[in-house]
Amino acid sequence: MDVRTASREELLALKEELTARYEECCAKNLKLDMSRGKPGADQLNLSEGILTALSKNEDAIFEGTDLRNYGGLDGIPACKALFAEVLGLKPENILIGGNASLTMMYDNIMRLWVFGDCNGNTPWSKLDKVKFLCPVPGYDRHFAICQQLGIEMINIPMHDDGPDMDMIEKLVSEDASIKGIWCVPKYSNPTGAVYSDEVVRRFAALKPAAADFKIMWDNAYCVHHLTDDKIQIPNIFELAKEYGNEDMIFQFASTSKITYPGAGVACLSASVKNIAWVKNILKVQAIGPDKLNQARHVVFFKNAAGIAAHMEKHRAILAPKFQMVLDMLEKNLGGTGAGSWLSPKGGYFISFDSFPGCASRIYELCKNAGVVITDAGATYPYGKDPEDKNLRIAPSYPPVEELKAAMEVFCVCAHLAAVEKLLG
Ligand SMILES: Cc1ncc(COP(=O)(O)O)c(C=O)c1O
């Protein structure tokens, strides 16, 4: 029965039935968590061998350099070459950091904030107003960086093929206080959307009013496929060359969801001019990153094909979990009008849109039944989802049986919340 066309009597009867089911869920005293987009222990175990990839003193002398010592600010050549191969760039466009790309993104915004960009534009902190475009729903930690600095965030609707480019082109061409945009171009967090070739080209060709407009191209899920359709997107730097826009783009990636989120390797990629700008500031902040971990990753993977083969093992664990969540949604909510969802071809999340105005209520119902999901509103700047409908489901962490139990609760809650809403 579709709740949107059901009669009041039908809704009242359905409410009674769903409430009984909800009470059964609560009585189970569950303690389940679907909030964290992190790999499960079985995925972490796939990287066994990386911890001992360097085991002796001699191993630390790598390609003629003693990795135990200071130095190597932009990363060891072999690790730069590895990321360059994965991202289709040259090593000169790569700077390797610590374990988190989020830290590199934060630092990059800070450099622009404190020092101004590579072309000597005014530091953003000295301007009256700085605005950023935020495709929504999106990644909460991007938004948190802007919020911490008082950067005003403007929501940009996401479509299946990327953010609304007409709106972006119009806004950036008219307002010089718009200084940047957050993008997750492939298997985006949370919708799984992949930017189309046309969208990538339109980004590369942007003509912003701000001379120091920056695209934060967070390619966090570049090799994280869930199906045989291993989507590739165009190399934005290649396209940007055609428009003289190379300095406008900073790309980020990491092995957080390839090896270990707590002990992987992250990288920033950019034009040679931007890499020089970053290094010039970074040389005061650091003497060198953890080069041993970089070498461990190189020894473990060898090349991009090694990473691709490893990602197949992740897929074997993750794909059935995603399928289970999608099957549960279809079985319990298909045709009910109580929500809609997307079936991603990669990445880490399933994005669920509830009946409008119900996301907070679903969150609360789930919580009271012992199931933690990501906060309602988290996928929007300032934690404010204007329609209170988007929820992010993270299937990776819980074991399959727990995920199934959690999804049973989630579906009852989503259904019940829609019925409650309609009944007023
Ligand atoms: C889009 C996106 N970017 C970045 C990160 C974090 O990356 P890292 O672990 O390299 O800091 C995440 C983690 O969920 C993410 O979803």
Side-chain angles (χ1 to χ4, degrees), residues 73-76 79-91 93-106 108 111 216-220 222 237 250-256 258 264-270 275 278 289 294:
L73 190 61
D74 52 359
I76 62 171
C79 196
K80 288 203 280 182
L82 178 62
F83 271 100
E85 191 192 354
V86 171
L87 298 169
L89 294 168
K90 296 206 179 94
N93 301 113
I94 306 280
L95 186 135
I96 311 287
N99 74 306
S101 62
L102 184 67
T103 307
M104 299 188 97
M105 292 182 237
Y106 185 92
N108 207 52
R111 281 186 286 268
M216 297 286 283
W217 198 250
D218 180 1
N219 214 346
C222 53
F237 288 104
F250 289 97
Q251 175 172 247
F252 303 87
S254 79
T255 71
S256 286
I258 299 175
V265 179
C267 102
L268 174 158
S269 43
I275 294 287
V278 173
Q294 294 178 19

Side-chain angles (χ1 to χ4, degrees), residues 57-379:
N57 281 337
E58 302 92 271
D59 295 343
I61 318 295
F62 195 79
E63 297 182 339
T65 305
D66 189 339
L67 304 182
R68 297 167 299 182
N69 227 322
Y70 279 131
L73 190 61
D74 52 359
I76 62 171
C79 196
K80 288 203 280 182
L82 178 62
F83 271 100
E85 191 192 354
V86 171
L87 298 169
L89 294 168
K90 296 206 179 94
E92 67 202 33
N93 301 113
I94 306 280
L95 186 135
I96 311 287
N99 74 306
S101 62
L102 184 67
T103 307
M104 299 188 97
M105 292 182 237
Y106 185 92
D107 281 350
N108 207 52
I109 297 285
M110 278 298 176
R111 281 186 286 268
L112 293 159
W113 191 254
V114 176
F115 302 109
D117 75 348
C118 69
N119 293 315
N121 284 295
T122 308
W124 294 350
S125 59
K126 298 220 162 70
L127 303 173
D128 290 338
K129 190 97 198 147
V130 176
K131 300 178 193 158
F132 243 70
L133 303 183
C134 299
V136 289
Y139 179 39
D140 52 347
R141 289 178 189 272
H142 289 160
F143 306 152
I145 296 175
C146 287
Q147 193 166 355
Q148 191 178 57
L149 293 171
I151 295 175
E152 184 183 317
M153 291 177 271
I154 300 169
N155 291 357
I156 305 289
M158 268 298 266
H159 305 308
D160 291 349
D161 63 348
D164 188 321
M165 289 311 295
D166 290 342
M167 189 171 172
I168 291 169
E169 284 165 351
K170 183 167 187 310
L171 286 170
V172 302
S173 68
E174 288 171 353
D175 186 349
S177 69
I178 297 177
K179 296 295 185 190
I181 183 164
W182 292 107
C183 294
V184 183
K186 194 157 157 187
Y187 306 136
S188 88
N189 176 351
T191 70
V194 178
Y195 291 16
S196 69
D197 292 6
E198 191 204 329
V199 164
V200 178
R201 180 169 282 280
R202 285 172 78 176
F203 267 113
L206 276 183
K207 294 264 168 288
D212 53 350
F213 181 87
K214 302 297 170 202
I215 298 174
M216 297 286 283
W217 198 250
D218 180 1
N219 214 346
Y221 299 109
C222 53
V223 291
H224 303 60
H225 312 284
L226 285 169
T227 73
D228 283 334
D229 186 9
K230 299 190 168 67
I231 304 176
Q232 298 304 335
I233 59 168
N235 181 340
I236 190 169
F237 288 104
E238 284 288 316
L239 298 176
K241 262 186 218 158
E242 292 175 30
Y243 303 94
N245 268 342
E246 278 177 284
D247 297 340
M248 188 169 74
I249 303 147
F250 289 97
Q251 175 172 247
F252 303 87
S254 79
T255 71
S256 286
K257 284 157 188 161
I258 299 175
T259 55
Y260 304 137
V265 179
C267 102
L268 174 158
S269 43
S271 67
V272 169
K273 189 169 180 183
N274 267 327
I275 294 287
W277 169 79
V278 173
K279 276 175 73 175
N280 196 40
I281 297 169
L282 190 64
K283 71 181 186 217
V284 178
Q285 189 183 2
I287 307 175
D290 178 352
K291 297 181 290 299
L292 288 169
N293 198 33
Q294 294 178 19
R296 277 193 288 266
H297 279 71
V298 171
V299 170
F300 189 69
F301 288 124
K302 295 184 181 59
N303 51 33
I307 293 185
H310 188 77
M311 293 315 289
E312 281 299 304
K313 298 181 191 164
H314 280 290
R315 176 182 157 190
I317 295 172
L318 283 177
K321 291 187 175 184
F322 275 71
Q323 195 54 53
M324 203 270 289
V325 170
L326 293 167
D327 289 347
M328 292 286 289
L329 288 169
E330 189 54 45
K331 183 175 132 220
N332 292 292
L333 298 175
T336 66
S340 60
W341 52 91
L342 296 165
S343 177
K345 289 189 166 176
Y348 256 65
F349 303 101
I350 291 172
S351 180
F352 179 84
D353 277 343
S354 72
F355 191 77
C358 290
S360 309
R361 178 68 178 144
I362 297 170
Y363 172 83
E364 183 188 289
L365 285 167
C366 283
K367 189 170 156 217
N368 293 340
V371 174
V372 182
I373 53 174
T374 312
D375 281 0
T379 53

Side-chain angles (χ1 to χ4, degrees), residues 357-405:
C358 290
S360 309
R361 178 68 178 144
I362 297 170
Y363 172 83
E364 183 188 289
L365 285 167
C366 283
K367 189 170 156 217
N368 293 340
V371 174
V372 182
I373 53 174
T374 312
D375 281 0
T379 53
Y380 280 76
Y382 311 106
K384 285 196 196 121
D385 175 352
E387 291 184 80
D388 188 24
K389 67 174 190 185
N390 187 252
L391 290 167
R392 191 183 80 169
I393 299 172
S396 58
Y397 191 68
V400 178
E401 324 74 64
E402 283 186 19
L403 191 60
K404 187 150 194 257

